Amino acid sequence: MSSQAEPLEDLNRVLKQTPIPYLDRARAYPFVKWAGGKRSLIPEIVKVLPPQFGRYYEPFVGGGAVFFSIDSRIQSAYLSDINVELMITYKVIETNPDKLIDELVVHSKKHNKPHYLSVRKNGHGEADQVRLAARFIYLNRTCYNGLYRVNKQRKFNVPMGSYKKPRICDEDNIRATSEVLKKATIRFHSFEDIEPGENDLVYCDPPYHETFDGYTDRGFDENHHRDLREACVRWRNDGAYVIVSNNDTSLIRSLYKNFRLIKVQGARNISCKGDEREKASELLILGY
């Protein structure tokens, strides 16, 4: 793989005549709403995937839209994130979907504003992992705009959304997701802790520069973006295929000037109104 710098390219010009490779229509799809999710960019990401790759790594997995979309091309995956409740939920779905479904049915029957506020206030730090996962999904499916945000005390603090009939228990998808996740190693840790090897594929979707970064109490500042760039260089030098999504800013262009940069238009998933999604310039950053 070449590390030679290539000029900024416009996706529409570069890929206009390129057929879109098969985009999986897998039964499984993200079980949570996730600010910054990649559903709108999946066709563009699929176009630039290497024809073949080894293990799939996604160290900012979030809702896992890319992972679930290319499931049939993945033999083995390593999914990780620093949101501990998210990763516990992934693990519970993989190992104990039946009990999780039972808990979500209870939340579905009880759902109203007092129940939402009680769950938000009292469930933080739940010791039972199945109940913690059910709480996580319940709050995600019923909170304002599907936003996951915590305060400095690591407590979820998003108000309830105005959905008339939120789909709290998506039983079929939970079972389908459980099967897909059996090919994945699921871990709670930083992107710096993954160790992809030659021909493995790493897809990074970090909190975007100059946008929302409140998924955890740690945030994600410029130093984190610089650390991620150094990790990407290391993975590339070890022979891995590296793809990064990020905001199109001068800092990101500067950090990845020795990578291939492709300009795309993505939908912003956070706005003051849940039904409004603005288009914004983003970058697909390729280390091959």
Side-chain angles (χ1 to χ4, degrees):
M1 291 179 292
S2 172
S3 61
Q4 183 177 358
E6 296 185 37
L8 183 68
E9 302 174 64
D10 183 276
L11 184 68
N12 293 328
R13 175 175 61 80
V14 174
L15 300 174
K16 186 175 182 180
Q17 303 301 323
T18 305
I20 298 177
Y22 177 71
L23 183 62
D24 300 345
R25 300 298 179 184
R27 292 182 304 122
Y29 49 84
F31 56 88
V32 288
K33 304 175 184 179
W34 207 252
K38 284 295 160 292
R39 291 189 187 189
S40 67
L41 285 182
I42 286 171
E44 285 77 11
I45 293 171
V46 169
K47 288 177 182 177
V48 299
L49 292 178
Q52 295 181 328
F53 54 86
R55 200 177 198 189
Y56 175 80
Y57 286 79
E58 192 167 346
F60 300 88
V61 66
V66 175
F67 166 72
F68 290 116
S69 294
I70 64 171
D71 164 52
S72 69
R73 295 188 59 181
I74 297 172
Q75 299 299 316
S76 174
Y78 192 101
L79 308 177
S80 55
D81 202 288
I82 60 169
N83 186 317
V84 62
E85 292 191 355
L86 173 66
M87 300 321 294
I88 289 174
T89 302
Y90 268 95
K91 195 64 181 177
V92 167
I93 289 176
E94 180 206 353
T95 60
N96 212 341
D98 292 336
K99 288 187 177 180
L100 175 62
I101 289 167
D102 290 343
E103 290 289 335
L104 289 172
V105 168
V106 172
H107 282 302
S108 297
K109 293 178 178 178
K110 291 184 176 182
H111 176 58
N112 56 28
K113 190 169 184 178
H115 180 67
Y116 177 90
L117 294 176
S118 176
V119 171
R120 188 184 70 173
K121 178 180 179 181
N122 299 317
H124 176 70
E126 170 65 59
D128 183 286
Q129 292 193 350
V130 174
R131 290 182 180 177
L132 183 149
R135 174 183 183 268
F136 185 90
I137 292 174
Y138 169 67
L139 292 175
N140 176 268
R141 303 300 295 181
T142 57
C143 74
Y144 173 75
N145 213 12
L147 176 64
Y148 187 91
R149 182 187 66 200
V150 296
N151 58 24
K152 294 298 182 181
Q153 288 73 46
R154 302 183 182 179
K155 293 183 177 181
F156 186 81
N157 63 356
V158 181
M160 190 175 86
S162 57
Y163 313 108
K164 292 183 179 180
K165 294 182 179 180
R167 194 171 189 181
I168 296 168
C169 183
D170 191 346
E171 180 175 350
D172 289 343
N173 187 53
I174 288 174
R175 295 191 187 283
T177 301
S178 179
E179 290 303 311
V180 172
L181 289 176
K182 294 187 187 310
K183 70 175 70 177
T185 298
I186 298 168
R187 291 291 184 267
F188 159 63
H189 57 55
S190 168
F191 65 89
E192 296 168 307
D193 297 321
I194 68 170
E195 297 180 351
E198 187 172 5
N199 296 323
D200 288 340
L201 172 61
V202 184
Y203 173 63
C204 296
D205 182 29
Y208 275 18
H209 181 232
E210 296 184 348
T211 59
F212 175 74
D213 66 353
Y215 304 109
T216 73
D217 61 304
R218 307 179 194 182
F220 204 88
D221 60 21
E222 288 191 6
N223 288 328
H224 291 108
H225 284 287
R226 296 180 189 279
D227 290 342
L228 175 58
R229 188 264 182 188
E230 292 306 308
C232 289
V233 171
R234 183 172 70 252
W235 300 330
R236 182 180 65 178
N237 290 343
D238 287 340
Y241 300 102
V242 179
I243 304 176
V244 183
S245 297
N246 214 317
N247 210 7
D248 186 359
T249 68
S250 58
L251 173 69
I252 298 304
R253 291 194 188 194
S254 174
L255 289 178
Y256 293 96
K257 61 185 178 181
N258 292 324
F259 285 68
R260 181 184 176 197
L261 305 179
I262 299 177
K263 190 173 183 178
V264 296
Q265 293 294 313
R268 285 284 184 265
N269 288 329
I270 296 178
S271 76
C272 61
K273 294 183 180 180
D275 58 352
E276 293 181 359
R277 298 292 184 266
E278 296 181 355
K279 291 287 185 179
S281 292
E282 302 182 14
L283 293 175
L284 283 182
I285 302 160
L286 307 183
Y288 54 93

